[in-house]
Amino acid sequence: MPEKTFYIETFGCQMNVHDSEKVRGTLAQRGYRQVETVDEAGLVLYNTCSIRDKAEQKVFSRLANFKRQKAEGRIFGVLGCVAQHKGEDIFEQAPHVSLVCGSASYNELPALLDRVEAGEDRVTGLSLDTEDTFETPLTRRDNPYKAFITIIEGCDKHCAYCVVPFTRGPERSRTSESVLEEARRLAGQGFGEIQLLGQNVNSYRDPSEAGWDFAQLLTAVGRVPGIRRVRFTTSHPRDFTPQIIEAIDENLVLCDQVHLPVQSGSSRLLGRMAREYGREEYLDRIRLMKQARRNIAISTDIIVGFPGETEDDFQQTLSLLDEVEYDSIFSFKYSPRAGTTAEKFEDAIPEVEKSRRLAILQEKQRLIQLRRNAELIGREEEVLVEGRREKSQQWIGRTTQNRVLNFTNPAQDLSDLRGSYCRVRVTGSGPNSLVGELVAKENAPAFTGFRILQ
Ligand code: SAH
Ligand code: SF4
Ligand code: F3S
């Protein structure tokens, strides 16, 4: 029997990145070895994203490169959000694809692969009719220091622009016990940082008797011995409770970072987007975070050029940036998506105007970040060291606020710092990162066990 090999490329959000880790483990157990190039692979998988048209096009341009190779016995599979959204249409667009499987069907992946391996063509796993989440102890994690844990899958909101409810199905939460068990196992394996994942983590509702909400789960994960950092993403503003901020305030293991996508600063537009909150309600959440004892970094997502966005709406988004002073933002031009409510909105904004607004928004935020990062010069930060940049002789670290802090070791000591938590003094700043110098290697954990800050 020839050796079975697979190649996987992942597009999209962290949920997809983590799904690919689970798929890799599932394939490894079936005797597949992962390879780094398509040329070496018998099975080629693309785990896809359809959040914007550009993201969706990526998989089709990849597939277009390989038309002839199917004849050589290579199997092509499309996984993830484009798979779920386009379904069998993918076979029409790319006839050399044999497998199309959405994220809600990954539990069936071994059975689907059996069929593909037996020579069956056009095999699909497209049911969204599921109560299950996809969990497996086989997960092969990419990063040796930081581990993702999915706590909730799917989304029950219906924001007018968004395909996610169609691509990932209804919300399903995992039991708190299975989340905690995974966290304990990861801590035992030496992962110091955990990131809890979900399209809307705040809607988490423990399906077991305990019935915990997200703040309760977060608190419990933060108390797992051996874990030094816990992050979570994404939070929906409507479901973001004061208890989450209290949890962060009470436990230093929970990072000083909240990603709270606003999408627009105009209540009128937020209404059209069906976001279920207005500017003032959103700002109430921000005020609560700013009043916290911890110095919580706040980031957001913004869409410009949503249908009907007037110059006044856009100006309100700009003024929101001034008011909140985000630590970072992800900003996008609106991209119409098939099947969403907004697809039928007629007052589209021309592409050039979307581009103009995006450039203005990004420049404004760049100046805010430049100023805010400069304020950090002179401070000492704890970083998790994630990598090394040989050219500049710098270690790459991340602060609790999720800022990149590149630093040198003035002691000229050659020991490898990767994976350790170091104390670093900030000596310089740019819009997207900080630079600094090592103060102490292996910073002692901020605390041992749970404690209330004074
Ligand atoms: N569940 C998360 C968002 C997931 S998608 C939440 O509710 O915040 C990530 C981001 O992509 C969104 O926050 C939004 O800013 C952007 N996005 C989603 N659909 C889009 C579209 N059709 N066009 C442009 N950007 C979009
Ligand atoms: Fe999409 Fe809205 Fe759900 Fe986020 S909350 S995934 S933007 S529908
Ligand atoms: Fe993309 Fe699907 Fe994530 S559409 S952003 S990969 S949930």
Side-chain angles (χ1 to χ4, degrees):
M1 270 261 290
E3 189 195 23
K4 294 199 284 191
T5 50
F6 76 100
Y7 167 87
I8 187 163
E9 183 174 358
T10 308
F11 305 98
C13 64
Q14 286 154 325
M15 303 279 294
N16 257 19
V17 171
H18 187 37
D19 281 347
S20 287
E21 294 178 335
K22 299 183 202 177
V23 168
R24 281 165 49 181
T26 308
L27 288 170
Q29 203 218 14
R30 290 176 56 82
Y32 281 87
R33 179 173 64 88
Q34 186 172 8
V35 293
E36 296 304 313
T37 64
V38 174
D39 290 342
E40 303 163 77
L43 173 65
V44 179
L45 297 173
Y46 295 108
N47 190 4
T48 59
C49 172
S50 52
I51 201 80
R52 288 168 287 277
D53 188 54
K54 253 195 190 156
E56 180 169 312
Q57 289 318 318
K58 279 189 190 151
V59 61
F60 291 108
S61 75
R62 288 290 192 283
L63 286 168
N65 292 335
F66 294 105
K67 271 187 186 126
R68 276 174 296 114
Q69 298 189 12
K70 197 191 177 193
E72 294 165 24
R74 192 164 283 145
I75 296 169
F76 284 85
V78 177
L79 310 179
C81 292
V82 178
Q84 189 66 50
H85 202 43
K86 298 215 115 183
E88 301 192 358
D89 288 353
I90 292 176
F91 298 129
E92 306 306 323
Q93 239 171 304
H96 53 308
V97 170
S98 317
L99 171 70
V100 170
C101 180
S103 66
S105 303
Y106 291 158
N107 279 329
E108 294 171 43
L109 208 52
L112 299 175
L113 280 169
D114 278 342
R115 288 167 52 197
V116 179
E117 284 169 9
E120 200 178 320
D121 210 11
R122 304 200 162 191
V123 173
T124 57
L126 292 172
S127 171
L128 276 183
D129 186 18
T130 176
E131 303 257 291
D132 280 348
T133 51
F134 175 49
E135 292 159 40
T136 164
L138 303 170
T139 305
R140 292 240 168 147
R141 291 185 156 84
D142 271 323
N143 186 312
Y145 322 119
K146 307 203 282 191
F148 293 126
I149 300 183
T150 312
I151 62 163
I152 178 170
E153 285 186 0
C155 182
D156 281 351
K157 300 252 187 297
H158 282 278
C159 303
Y161 49 81
C162 185
V163 289
V164 172
F166 308 107
T167 66
R168 290 199 164 253
E171 268 175 19
R172 292 97 69 199
S173 295
R174 272 172 79 175
T175 63
S176 53
E177 195 37 51
S178 90
V179 172
L180 286 173
E181 199 188 289
E182 189 167 4
R184 287 186 211 110
R185 201 178 58 239
L186 291 167
Q189 292 168 356
F191 289 95
E193 181 170 323
I194 298 288
Q195 184 157 358
L196 304 177
L197 292 182
Q199 282 303 339
N200 179 0
V201 287
N202 322 138
S203 310
Y204 176 83
R205 184 58 65 170
D206 187 356
S208 65
E209 224 166 84
W212 284 357
D213 64 13
F214 177 64
Q216 290 170 299
L217 181 74
L218 185 63
T219 300
V221 175
R223 289 177 183 176
V224 171
I227 292 178
R228 289 183 66 155
R229 286 184 168 180
V230 179
R231 304 184 190 278
F232 55 90
T233 194
T234 294
S235 299
H236 189 286
R238 207 205 56 179
D239 307 327
F240 192 82
T241 61
Q243 285 75 27
I244 299 170
I245 302 168
E246 284 164 25
I248 296 176
D249 258 347
E250 285 171 2
N251 186 345
L252 286 172
V253 163
L254 307 182
C255 287
D256 285 354
Q257 182 213 354
V258 170
H259 183 62
L260 199 64
V262 66
Q263 315 301 355
S264 166
S266 151
S267 293
R268 190 188 74 85
L269 219 64
L270 288 168
R272 272 183 78 113
M273 289 177 168
R275 283 292 284 180
E276 304 181 3
Y277 58 84
R279 179 187 175 107
E280 282 315 312
E281 279 168 278
Y282 180 85
L283 284 172
D284 285 344
R285 313 288 193 272
I286 297 289
R287 269 187 284 275
L288 280 179
M289 278 194 270
K290 296 204 165 180
Q291 284 159 10
R293 280 168 290 176
R294 302 277 295 279
N295 184 7
I296 301 174
I298 308 169
S299 55
T300 201
D301 293 345
I302 288 173
I303 297 176
V304 297
F306 186 74
E309 184 187 64
T310 61
E311 182 57 33
D312 179 60
D313 293 321
F314 176 59
Q315 288 300 328
Q316 291 188 47
T317 298
L318 293 179
S319 76
L320 188 84
L321 293 194
D322 280 331
E323 211 165 326
V324 179
E325 297 201 297
Y326 291 104
D327 294 85
S328 65
I329 67 167
F330 298 88
S331 48
F332 314 99
K333 288 191 272 182
Y334 168 71
S335 167
R337 309 308 293 132
T340 60
T341 335
E343 190 198 6
K344 292 178 202 73
F345 291 178
E346 280 168 359
D347 32 11
I349 307 296
E351 278 307 307
V352 283
E353 179 59 16
K354 285 187 203 169
S355 301
R356 186 187 74 87
R357 290 181 190 179
L358 188 68
I360 293 171
L361 182 90
Q362 290 181 341
E363 177 55 13
K364 183 172 198 62
Q365 180 61 22
R366 195 183 70 84
L367 296 175
I368 291 174
Q369 287 177 205
L370 256 180
R371 181 165 47 72
R372 300 213 53 205
N373 286 346
E375 288 167 10
L376 300 174
I377 293 174
R379 272 182 39 174
E380 279 186 19
E381 295 276 347
E382 183 190 69
V383 299
L384 163 60
V385 186
E386 295 183 357
R388 169 93 178 152
R389 205 166 275 136
E390 278 311 329
K391 235 174 145 184
S392 51
Q393 305 266 294
Q394 281 173 315
W395 296 102
I396 305 167
R398 241 173 228 277
T399 69
T400 169
Q401 294 191 321
N402 212 28
R403 283 193 171 81
V404 173
L405 170 46
N406 300 312
F407 65 99
T408 48
N409 182 355
Q412 300 290 318
D413 158 355
L414 295 178
S415 55
D416 194 343
L417 298 178
R418 270 171 290 204
S420 66
Y421 287 80
C422 294
R423 189 144 279 278
V424 176
R425 183 174 303 107
V426 180
T427 55
S429 66
N432 298 312
S433 63
L434 305 170
V435 290
E437 282 181 359
L438 181 73
V439 174
K441 283 201 283 187
E442 238 348 288
N443 193 36
F447 72 105
T448 47
F450 179 70
R451 84 166 187 216
I452 307 279
L453 286 174
Q454 295 308 308

